[in-house]
Amino acid sequence: RIYKRQMICRSDIDQLNAPFLAIYETLKPAEEEKAKQKQLLTLLETLVSKEWPTARLYLYGSCANSFGVSKSDIDVCLAIEEADVDKSKILLKLADILQADNLQNVQALTRARVPIVKLMDPVTGILCDICINNVLAVVNTKLLRDYAQIDERLRQLTFIVKHWAKSRGVNETYQGTLSSYAYVLMCIHFLQQRRPAILPCLQEMETTYSVTVDEVKCAYFDQVEKLGDFGRRNSETIAQLVWAFFNYWAYRHDYANAVISVRTGSLLSKQEKDWTRRIGNDRHLICIEDPFETSHDLGRVVDKYSIKVLREEFERAAHIMQYDPNPCVKLFECF
Ligand code: ATP
Ligand code: MG
């Protein structure tokens, strides 16, 4: 490792608040974009209900979890209650219907890990993926959105981390690095761990929302507007948090033993999750517990090569945050 361990933040850190917030503002989607996405959803709902009158469409992923940057694709879930749903058949039928209505580049990917139909809206240019009955994704989208409403620093930090990950090429699950979903969970967990805490642990609080999806019980406190200014006792600024986030993943996380868990608001051990051995392709080199599918490690995509890439990128980012005269440029330099 070429960089030194570091624990004490540079003294001029708060001069970086304004440039980080400026980056956040440019990434944030405009209201107008949200309106266009809604319009497309309404059109899709009309088309779908002609064929499947009881089916419903839900937005999920970054267009609905409030962590979507401007010009993101939209993710849609078609919830269809039919015994014995043949997803391939439905996707092919759906592709026909969409094509007939002049939606562009319609493609049914029936053999993908998550089978989808892809399309482009010719009016707005919005790209859209539609999957079937992926209701857990709709529920975890709601959890993320609810967390985002508690303290604005979560959204700011996540936008900056996602922007960094995309710029540095470490947001590619097919290359063994992490999904956007995993990065959001890392940010939530990180803010749950600050002292005083910036975010609570909603799943450890009184249940006000509960659904059971594919035999998984999803329950948590969702009346976040009642939490007032939960994080106000912590006055850390966005620049301090970006610094501390990268410092944590570069130098402080115990990769050998620890599992981050948004569900419990704490660190668990690999031992208690029984994530100590490689089983199949799951190597558990960086462990991020899914908040609902708790047997699911979002770090499972990471292999012995990509863990090095990831850790070197965390160290590079921590080093830049500590020493670079102009971190807001260097951090996001395309790799
Ligand atoms: P962006 O498209 O801006 O990169 P995104 O939030 O749409 O971000 P994805 O990682 O593509 O990111 O995930 C889309 C949604 O799918 C997530 O919000 C989550 O609801 C769900 N999801 C993605 N990966 C998983 C996973 N491994 N386990 C469970 N749900 C997942
Ligand atoms: Mg997406």
Side-chain angles (χ1 to χ4, degrees):
R1 309 257 148 179
I2 51 175
Y3 306 124
K4 272 203 341 247
R5 246 167 209 276
Q6 48 198 249
M7 298 292 170
I8 301 163
C9 189
R10 64 201 279 168
S11 57
D12 63 345
I13 188 75
D14 280 332
Q15 288 179 21
L16 301 177
N17 281 321
F20 274 129
L21 289 175
I23 291 171
Y24 168 65
E25 290 299 327
T26 60
L27 294 169
K28 233 167 60 176
E31 285 305 314
E32 180 184 292
E33 208 178 309
K34 295 267 135 203
K36 286 181 181 161
Q37 294 175 350
K38 284 267 153 59
Q39 265 173 24
L40 175 58
L41 187 71
T42 309
L43 168 67
L44 295 174
E45 274 167 344
T46 314
L47 296 175
V48 161
S49 67
K50 282 185 195 150
E51 180 71 29
W52 299 283
T54 60
R56 296 208 48 189
L57 287 180
Y58 297 95
L59 285 176
Y60 74 101
S62 64
C63 59
N65 66 17
S66 69
F67 299 105
V69 301
S70 144
K71 315 227 157 44
S72 298
D73 306 353
I74 69 172
D75 300 302
V76 176
C77 168
L78 170 62
I80 203 161
E81 284 181 44
E82 251 172 52
D84 236 4
V85 183
D86 179 345
K87 287 193 184 177
S88 299
K89 240 166 99 182
I90 293 176
L91 287 171
L92 292 169
K93 178 88 207 161
L94 180 63
D96 281 345
I97 295 170
L98 299 170
Q99 207 137 32
D101 201 74
N102 281 329
L103 287 151
Q104 303 290 299
N105 306 351
V106 177
Q107 236 183 323
L109 306 180
T110 54
R111 288 180 202 195
R113 192 181 56 82
V114 179
I116 52 170
V117 172
K118 287 179 139 343
L119 63 97
M120 188 187 81
D121 177 12
V123 183
T124 57
I126 296 176
L127 297 171
C128 173
D129 291 348
I130 308 178
C131 67
I132 295 177
N133 288 355
N134 191 1
V135 183
L136 266 174
V138 177
V139 178
N140 68 37
T141 293
K142 173 174 159 60
L143 179 72
L144 268 41
R145 184 175 61 235
D146 287 336
Y147 269 113
Q149 283 178 34
I150 301 170
D151 194 292
E152 205 188 2
R153 286 171 288 185
L154 171 60
R155 229 179 142 209
Q156 295 166 347
L157 177 66
T158 306
F159 271 59
I160 288 162
V161 169
K162 276 179 66 174
H163 183 46
W164 161 82
K166 284 182 206 282
S167 312
R168 300 300 302 167
V170 287
N171 180 207
E172 311 284 357
T173 46
Y174 68 93
Q175 289 180 348
T177 55
L178 298 169
S179 66
S180 296
Y181 179 57
Y183 283 112
V184 180
L185 293 173
M186 288 158 80
C187 291
I188 295 174
H189 181 261
F190 174 76
L191 297 184
Q192 285 176 331
Q193 294 288 301
R194 302 312 287 167
R195 290 295 171 263
I198 295 179
L199 292 178
C201 173
L202 295 176
Q203 288 170 275
E204 295 268 281
M205 295 167 64
E206 171 204 354
T207 298
T208 55
Y209 169 84
S210 172
V211 287
T212 301
V213 183
D214 307 337
E215 276 143 51
V216 180
K217 183 159 187 225
C218 308
Y220 67 94
F221 182 80
D222 77 334
Q223 298 175 0
V224 288
E225 64 289 347
K226 292 198 181 148
L227 294 175
D229 243 339
F230 179 91
R232 74 184 170 281
R233 283 187 306 126
N234 182 315
S235 58
E236 286 177 295
T237 62
I238 186 62
Q240 289 168 354
L241 292 169
V242 172
W243 178 90
F245 179 88
F246 286 121
N247 194 268
Y248 175 79
W249 286 102
Y251 306 115
R252 309 179 72 137
H253 182 69
D254 179 1
Y255 287 82
N257 303 299
V259 175
I260 67 157
S261 164
V262 164
R263 171 180 63 98
T264 60
S266 66
L267 288 162
L268 306 176
S269 69
K270 290 192 192 179
Q271 205 86 43
E272 68 192 285
K273 301 280 311 177
D274 198 18
W275 284 354
T276 50
R277 291 158 291 126
R278 172 176 170 182
I279 296 178
N281 269 333
D282 288 16
R283 293 178 177 82
H284 305 300
L285 300 173
I286 173 172
C287 294
I288 303 161
E289 182 195 58
D290 186 90
F292 299 125
E293 289 177 283
T294 56
S295 65
H296 192 162
D297 177 5
L298 293 161
R300 78 206 297 171
V301 289
V302 177
D303 61 34
K304 64 180 179 185
Y305 303 105
S306 58
I307 188 69
K308 277 175 87 180
V309 173
L310 258 178
R311 292 187 64 173
E312 278 167 20
E313 283 299 328
F314 286 133
E315 288 174 21
R316 173 187 179 273
H319 185 85
I320 290 169
M321 286 305 295
Q322 184 75 0
Y323 299 112
D324 197 271
N326 208 347
C328 292
V329 175
K330 193 74 174 212
L331 202 56
F332 308 107
E333 249 168 30
C334 286
F335 131 98

